Amino acid sequence: INDLLSFDCGVGNIMIDYFTKKYFHKNYDEDGKIALSGKVIKEVLDELCKDSFIYQRPPKSTGREKYSEIFMEDLAKRMHFENYDKKDIITTITEFTVFGIVYNYQHFTRNVDMAIVTGGGSHNKYIMLRLKELLNFEILTGEEYGINSDAKEAVCFAILGYMTLQHKPSNVISATGAKHPVILGDITLSPRKNNER
């Protein structure tokens, strides 16, 4: 288990979803249609690619604490998003998401022959197309591999719960930076007696 490597590659869908909602009044870019209809704005992508998190060595994790609304609005102001076609902004931000994934695969993994993409990004045809173009190994969606792409977290928590019930450690030291294996979670029994319903 300690040969496993797990870490965040970058921004994920956070920025795509935020600006899609802001400019197109949709919760997300369904199937990557908006990204596929625009073009990359080089100067904006170059600025995004200065993000230090991308280049940080694992173990690492990030989320909305870094890529917050304040962060995104500051970026939009600094880079004058109001001067660009909004489709091109979505394309550029989506390309930045791809860049983070590709950079991290190329620099922090080894001997990869297949990647299984799950979560919202697996439905984004722009992301899937670019990953297949830029990475030199097989790229599959969860469904192509035989698992539900949208059930990733549910499956993970089911496995963690099972391991806890079996009194077995389930933290991955190489992924979390923990000092030793531990049994995760806590089992709280019902306060009712066995004969009560």
Side-chain angles (χ1 to χ4, degrees):
I1 194 168
N2 289 322
D3 291 336
L4 293 175
L5 184 62
S6 175
F7 57 91
D8 286 339
C9 295
V11 69
N13 289 321
I14 294 172
M15 289 179 69
I16 300 169
D17 293 349
Y18 179 82
F19 286 107
T20 297
K21 190 163 200 166
K22 179 174 179 169
Y23 296 135
F24 295 92
H25 311 291
K26 298 178 177 181
N27 290 331
Y28 59 94
D29 181 10
E30 186 177 359
D31 297 328
K33 289 175 189 168
I34 300 170
L36 287 166
S37 70
K39 62 184 185 300
V40 171
I41 307 163
K42 184 181 184 309
E43 55 269 32
V44 175
L45 181 62
D46 288 348
E47 180 65 20
L48 286 165
C49 290
K50 293 176 183 175
D51 183 358
S52 62
F53 180 81
I54 302 294
Y55 309 99
Q56 183 181 323
R57 294 194 67 81
K60 58 181 179 174
S61 180
T62 192
R64 295 183 194 281
E65 72 284 351
K66 174 171 174 51
Y67 302 106
S68 64
E69 182 174 342
I70 292 168
F71 170 90
M72 291 183 278
E73 286 298 333
D74 178 64
L75 173 72
K77 186 176 180 181
R78 268 188 305 112
M79 298 307 296
H80 305 286
F81 278 16
E82 72 274 7
N83 296 336
Y84 297 106
D85 185 313
K86 302 307 180 262
K87 293 192 301 289
D88 295 346
I89 291 170
I90 302 302
T91 303
T92 304
I93 289 167
T94 308
E95 183 67 20
F96 172 56
T97 296
V98 170
F99 171 78
I101 296 167
V102 170
Y103 181 90
N104 278 265
Y105 262 109
Q106 290 174 338
H107 290 84
F108 303 130
T109 66
R110 61 189 186 284
N111 302 323
V112 175
D113 55 15
M114 178 192 297
I116 302 160
V117 183
T118 61
S122 68
H123 303 298
N124 187 308
K125 290 185 169 74
Y126 183 99
I127 291 174
M128 295 302 294
L129 175 69
R130 292 293 288 144
L131 291 177
K132 288 175 183 179
E133 288 174 351
L134 296 170
L135 293 171
N136 61 350
F137 46 80
E138 190 175 10
I139 308 290
L140 301 175
T141 63
E143 280 73 19
E144 290 169 329
Y145 190 71
I147 59 174
N148 184 324
S149 291
D150 297 322
K152 171 176 61 176
E153 289 188 5
V155 170
C156 288
F157 279 102
I159 292 168
L160 292 173
Y162 172 81
M163 294 295 284
T164 300
L165 288 169
Q166 298 301 310
H167 304 285
K168 293 182 179 178
S170 57
N171 64 321
V172 179
I173 292 170
S174 58
T176 64
K179 291 185 172 75
H180 52 80
V182 294
I183 297 171
L184 300 175
D186 197 17
I187 305 299
T188 303
L189 299 176
S190 170
R192 296 179 179 185
K193 293 179 182 175
N194 290 339
N195 59 356
E196 291 180 5
R197 292 193 182 268

